[in-house]
Amino acid sequence: NAGVTQTPKFRILKIGQSMTLQCAQDMNHNYMYWYRQDPGMGLKLIYYSVGAGITDKGEVPNGYNVSRSTTEDFPLRLELAAPSQTSVYFCASRGESGNTIYFGEGSWLTVV
Amino acid sequence: EDKVVQSPLSLVVHEGDTVTLNCSYEVTNFRSLLWYKQEKKAPTFLFMLTSSGIEKKSGRLSSILDKKELFSILNITATQTGDSAVYLCAVVFNAGNNRKLIWGLGTSLAVNP
């Protein structure tokens, strides 16, 4: 059982480049989340999805986009990367009736 | 405004000490409170609490919820250096037709030998 899988684990981007962080879960969870966590800070919600085809903004959506074409996948796209987007990104999922959140291992992104 | 507040923000103790971490919340339509431990990577699940007064226990860790006073505590007895981590609290609640989560900022625990 793979759970929540994120790729890549590490990436260095140049300012202005674009990239997509991939997230997949094999638990048939409806709810999926993207968080960023800056050093010494709490988790901040970027985008979330309550099911395939439905996404919504979280606390810090600017500079990011998401899509949810399938239940399994919830990619996060960074357009025109900025140094302020240097962070650790976590994807997470939760089932419809469950309250436990399952996290991916994280993606360390540096924008230089 | 819905919020989750953890205290203290950081704590330094010696091995063998007992620590108590606090998580208070203000949300409507509460469903559950979750505790996670985060070391260098992703948060790992510790406890889920939904009912008041029922202690959840796992080894040296235990947690309890007070839904009247709107808080939870996480206790760690006989602390070890491996307990050094950030402990995160999250609250799940109903908001309209959706279920939402709010995270606290975490308590950073350092256990010195």
Side-chain angles (χ1 to χ4, degrees):
Chain A
N1 186 358
V4 180
T5 304
Q6 278 181 246
T7 55
K9 284 190 167 52
F10 300 95
R11 181 75 186 266
I12 298 174
L13 277 180
K14 291 185 179 178
I15 294 171
Q17 285 186 320
S18 300
M19 75 160 296
T20 299
L21 298 177
Q22 301 290 345
C23 176
Q25 50 90 11
D26 61 359
M27 297 172 282
N28 202 32
H29 285 170
N30 285 331
Y31 292 81
M32 294 189 75
Y33 309 87
W34 273 107
Y35 292 94
R36 60 176 287 174
Q37 189 175 33
D38 300 328
M41 304 291 284
L43 293 163
K44 292 189 177 178
L45 183 64
I46 305 171
Y47 270 95
Y48 69 100
S49 169
V50 300
I54 307 170
T55 62
D56 209 346
K57 295 178 181 179
E59 305 168 71
V60 290
N62 291 342
Y64 306 95
N65 275 302
V66 293
S67 59
R68 186 94 183 271
S69 55
T70 66
T71 299
E72 294 77 20
D73 299 300
F74 190 41
L76 177 73
R77 178 121 179 116
L78 281 73
E79 304 280 4
L80 298 175
S84 62
Q85 293 178 303
T86 294
S87 191
V88 182
Y89 292 82
F90 290 105
C91 179
S93 74
R94 179 170 64 78
E96 182 67 44
S97 57
N99 289 314
T100 304
I101 308 157
Y102 298 86
F103 283 89
E105 291 193 341
S107 298
W108 272 252
L109 177 66
T110 302
V111 182
V112 295
Chain B
E1 181 189 352
D2 301 312
K3 62 181 178 182
V4 173
V5 178
Q6 290 186 245
S7 62
L9 286 180
S10 64
L11 191 56
V12 180
V13 301
H14 291 290
E15 267 192 320
D17 288 350
T18 293
V19 297
T20 299
L21 310 182
N22 299 283
C23 176
S24 63
Y25 61 92
E26 290 180 26
V27 301
T28 52
N29 300 314
F30 171 91
R31 288 191 61 89
S32 65
L33 186 145
L34 310 170
W35 282 100
Y36 284 77
K37 177 182 181 182
Q38 184 176 24
E39 295 170 271
K40 291 186 179 177
K41 290 195 172 180
T44 54
F45 175 74
L46 294 176
F47 300 111
M48 182 180 79
L49 304 160
T50 56
S51 301
S52 267
I54 299 174
E55 186 182 52
K56 294 267 180 111
K57 202 168 170 63
S58 175
R60 295 176 294 100
L61 276 67
S62 63
S63 184
I64 198 161
L65 174 68
D66 186 329
K67 288 167 76 173
K68 183 179 176 186
E69 300 298 329
L70 307 183
F71 76 94
S72 172
I73 58 171
L74 175 69
N75 276 323
I76 309 175
T77 59
T79 51
Q80 302 171 357
T81 54
D83 295 326
S84 297
V86 174
Y87 290 84
L88 295 167
C89 169
V91 170
V92 181
F93 61 102
N94 289 330
N97 293 326
N98 290 326
R99 207 171 300 171
K100 292 195 170 181
L101 300 95
I102 297 181
W103 291 89
L105 293 179
T107 293
S108 177
L109 174 65
V111 181
N112 292 329

